Amino acid sequence: MPTINITCPNCTATNRLLVDRLQDNPICGACKDPLYSGTPMPLTQQSAEKLLANNYTPVLIDCWAPWCGPCRTFTPIFEQAAEELEPKLRLAKVDTQTQTNLASQWGIRSIPTLLLFKDGKEIARSSGAMPLPQLKQWLKMQGVMDI
């Protein structure tokens, strides 16, 4: 049975897991928190590097700022997506106001911006908020999941 790496959203430890155990509500071997909580994982420079280097599932990152109206409108949609799409997809958020190095590294010029990573590499991006059905369709068009 093949094993995969999953990054813990709480302590960022890398967990090895049998593929067929993804649906069994796995917990982190280090901190004992759930590996999937149905909520977006907040990212810092360090946790982003670990997540992108050690995660089996594709990662969708919402780059946002607290003062941004469209970002605040998109937040509940992104949270609902996390509830519905994990563990097929890891959802994470970057506050571009506090994580300026990440925003600069990724060339974020407008917010909200969605970044889609697979195998640690950016494969797509989209600027602007969108409703959940449109987000799911965009993910399907990127070929990361059949939703």
Side-chain angles (χ1 to χ4, degrees):
M1 184 77 38
T3 60
I4 55 174
N5 289 334
I6 302 294
T7 303
C8 176
N10 182 51
C11 70
T12 68
T14 301
N15 291 263
R16 293 180 55 102
L17 186 69
L18 293 172
V19 173
D20 66 344
R21 299 285 320 270
L22 261 176
Q23 301 297 331
D24 295 341
N25 300 318
I27 60 169
C28 177
C31 72
K32 308 301 183 210
D33 276 357
L35 291 178
Y36 292 98
S37 62
T39 59
M41 176 181 178
L43 292 181
T44 62
Q45 181 79 38
Q46 183 181 15
S47 63
E49 290 170 6
K50 285 185 176 184
L51 176 66
L52 296 176
N54 299 314
N55 208 60
Y56 163 79
T57 56
V59 178
L60 180 62
I61 301 172
D62 175 20
C63 300
W64 69 285
W67 50 264
C68 168
C71 297
R72 289 193 309 265
T73 301
F74 186 61
T75 293
I77 295 166
F78 199 71
E79 289 172 352
Q80 184 179 355
E83 285 178 33
E84 291 183 21
L85 303 178
E86 285 188 349
K88 298 176 195 169
L89 183 72
R90 169 72 76 195
L91 282 80
K93 292 181 75 76
V94 170
D95 179 346
T96 58
Q97 187 171 329
T98 60
Q99 301 299 318
T100 56
N101 287 344
L102 274 177
S104 177
Q105 174 185 333
W106 290 335
I108 303 303
R109 306 234 185 313
S110 64
I111 50 175
T113 293
L114 295 175
L115 304 175
L116 183 59
F117 288 83
K118 186 171 184 183
D119 300 324
K121 295 178 178 52
E122 182 182 334
I123 61 168
R125 74 171 48 201
S126 177
S127 294
M130 61 181 90
L132 187 58
Q134 185 180 346
L135 174 61
K136 289 180 177 181
Q137 184 61 35
W138 181 76
L139 290 167
K140 185 176 181 178
M141 288 173 34
Q142 305 314 314
V144 294
M145 58 186 2
D146 187 25
I147 302 171

